[in-house]
Amino acid sequence: MTAWTRRAGRRAGTRAPGGTRADGPAGDPADALAEDLAAVVGREHVRVDDGALAAYARDATPLFSARPQAVVLPGSTEEVAAILRYATERGVPVVPRGAGSNLCAATVPLSGGVVMALTRFDRILEISPGELLARVQTGVTTAALADAAAARGLLYAPDPGSRTVSTVGGNVATCAGGLRGLKYGVTRNHVLGLEAVLPTGEVIRTGGRLWKDVAGYDLTRLLTGSEGTLAVITEVTVALLPAPEETGTGVAYFGSLADASRAVAAVIADGIVPATLEFLDRKCVSAVEEFAGLGLRQDAGALLLFGDDGPARTVAGTLARIGEVCTGSGALEVTLAEDIARSDALLAARRCALPALSRLGSLTILEDATVPRHRLAEMVDRIDEIADRHGLRIATFGHAGDGNLHPTCVLDPDDTEGADRAHTAFGEIFAAAIAMDGTITGEHGVGAAKLPYLADRIGTDQVDLLRRIKLAFDPAGILNPGKLGS
Amino acid sequence: MTAWTRRAGRRAGTRAPGGTRADGPAGDPADALAEDLAAVVGREHVRVDDGALAAYARDATPLFSARPQAVVLPGSTEEVAAILRYATERGVPVVPRGAGSNLCAATVPLSGGVVMALTRFDRILEISPGELLARVQTGVTTAALADAAAARGLLYAPDPGSRTVSTVGGNVATCAGGLRGLKYGVTRNHVLGLEAVLPTGEVIRTGGRLWKDVAGYDLTRLLTGSEGTLAVITEVTVALLPAPEETGTGVAYFGSLADASRAVAAVIADGIVPATLEFLDRKCVSAVEEFAGLGLRQDAGALLLFGDDGPARTVAGTLARIGEVCTGSGALEVTLAEDIARSDALLAARRCALPALSRLGSLTILEDATVPRHRLAEMVDRIDEIADRHGLRIATFGHAGDGNLHPTCVLDPDDTEGADRAHTAFGEIFAAAIAMDGTITGEHGVGAAKLPYLADRIGTDQVDLLRRIKLAFDPAGILNPGKLGS
């Protein structure tokens, strides 16, 4: 069974703790599990109904599905700790989950067991303009945090595409990226401290309220991107920035993606690192225009969206200069957004690339290969060549400034044979990215979807090391099994 | 024996591998060890003479000393791997070392064994303006990297105080900070990838050339700040930035440190996060003025040094605004440096705080407690109170913007009783910092010097977890024993 065609995980119940219970109630092991969970969180916060088990069998990743035995919604760190202690004692798999908006099957409960939904951890605990930080419970959405910060004149810089639904804890667990990564970095660059519960039940607090703190190994960053395999994150402290005075956006059309890629290199060479440098290939521009009718030019080979923020006296100058550099690099047309409304519309064009493509077929596989930015055009050419060879529709958009590409394959949902070809094609795409000093995932994560490719990227010695690290946190192997560290 | 008064480590030779050798040459175990090392690196790169063993018994931390049995200077990653494999097989302690400029006894060979000096790894392998990165061998000095980047119009942002002698590998191992941390962050924020050798001899490459790469746990950041206890770093890839167009500096004098601290808060509240916000207390200003004759005003209670860089059209405005905010917060006097020469002189004032204080007594204990920035004045008051109570001369300077204080105790070298009092006083200072949501070390590291305080900061559960992580990397416990993870 390949990762891409894995349509169901191991049968739920195969590791049912009830089967090994010595003192629990008799009867169906799943019932016994639910009883035990209810004893911790209350009956109203345990779900074993078909609807819930079906809903939590999937996340936003197509083709991956596996039903848990129960869904539990703890309301406090103490309840999380009690559940984990129980799970470690009984060998019950636990999959922590934020919004389930990840695209790498990181929260699919491959081994059954319990999905721990952290939805009830939804309080913003603190926004401190003096300390330039926020402290939130793990289940607060990214947008809620960003809005609360903005209301105090502050910026939470990471802005993953799923920000309106994704949770801060989920962002940390996957080290989410976004459209402002070029200038501001990714989630990792903004996390100051975590409260987390080890699989064995101990509550630890890593980092804290300081940017400078080297007391111990950097567990804050180790947990960031660990995809719920090492600990359950219950609280997050993040750094904020003073909100920029002004934000501006522009768009440049190019005859080819190679030209656009040259323009990106020329912008950097000019000493400009803007907040945003995004691209859409011709196929994406067409899809977005059909979807949203934003007045985008459809005869070009590529669209480059650029944006910056900062003091009012510099933003306009920077955007004008980027426009000049684009023109100098052969842009067919350059337009600067005349106002914030148009600026928002242009950013919306980029943000709706995925929904626009999704309309073309009901199965959309969005990938995440990344290469050094100067190899962007070369990589897109390779993707197109691979797609053509396998008879697949793959459009590509992404973060040009970061070299982070999102080749997106659109299929009919019943096209099993097409899904197999897509699986083969993406394997070739990952191999091509690695051969260009790139990686198999820039910001989406490994999860179950990329695990088969991990050793190709980091080597078997490092995969073995990840396993030993996992064991240092999770001796019973109960936390999100079948993912990173497995 | 307390950490502060530890004047010698375990006797060299107590874990001599020769003692357990089954197949080595007969005779002195130290000779046998030297022979075995020479077989890997050549006789000219092994030192067992008294001069070398005495020199490598210490780093820049006062009061800590322990002689190794041998010093080895490998010339390649393969030689590093061979030595580590040998050490793991025989149970020989190995302490990797850059310049030994750390201030936490991180490179003192407490258990004897081998000091592995990485001095020969001194090549800058690549500076890429297109990719905004540099790749260097671990032993390249921070200043050499910064200069090479500057020659290509690029900035390597971290600038620890020891930058002219410290190595990039050492900076990574300790997650070094510096004067530009407020705006640019610390070493961790600029490391993209590492080549490192595990204690068991495997060579791993973590991260790479990309800012966005989430393939696996974040070993790049885990090794950053791991103080040579998890792996030996042999190569470092760092991110560079376009060099700022202009850099400017100003100075403000205040009647008290409390006033200066209020000014720092007011600057941040004004939405400004400048590159540099440093302070010196009255005692430091006097010492610096006596030492360097820079024309600093000595009647003030505190000096605040501020600096920023960026586009020419913004730097002057930002500095002027900081000056206004300082005046509004009660500054006695504000001066903006009229040119780059004066700007450099002002930065030199801050950089020479340590040497200036060192002249006052030949034993200088420089510490590194850190608190949230709005508690800076409160913390300095606590330090002064503690110093007075113990009859100690402690002057404080540091990174006001980061809340990173460097209380510095000046003693006569033969004053053993004074050193004991200093030990007690710093214990109280660390406890005070922790009580203020601060930490025992902002940028210097834990090493042997802070290890006794680590559990107070992160808790025993987390200390235990560090030990398990250490074991995942170093099953035989040979790498820098007695430090982090011990």
Side-chain angles (χ1 to χ4, degrees), chain B residues 89-116:
Chain B
E89 276 165 24
R90 310 295 177 99
V92 182
V94 175
V95 180
R97 176 178 166 126
S101 53
N102 76 84
L103 293 160
C104 61
T107 47
V108 173
L110 296 180
S111 306
V114 177
V115 168
M116 181 187 279

Side-chain angles (χ1 to χ4, degrees), chain B residues 180 244-249 275 307-310 315 319 339-340 343-344 347:
Chain B
R180 287 192 288 241
E245 215 171 276
E246 195 163 298
T247 300
T249 307
D308 201 18
D309 53 21
V315 172
L319 292 185
D339 55 29
I340 192 77
S343 196
D344 286 347
L347 283 168

Side-chain angles (χ1 to χ4, degrees), chain B residues 64-87:
Chain B
F64 285 83
S65 168
R67 279 164 78 99
Q69 291 170 270
V71 179
V72 64
L73 296 99
S76 70
T77 301
E78 293 68 33
E79 289 181 2
V80 170
I83 295 164
L84 291 175
R85 270 195 304 273
Y86 167 89

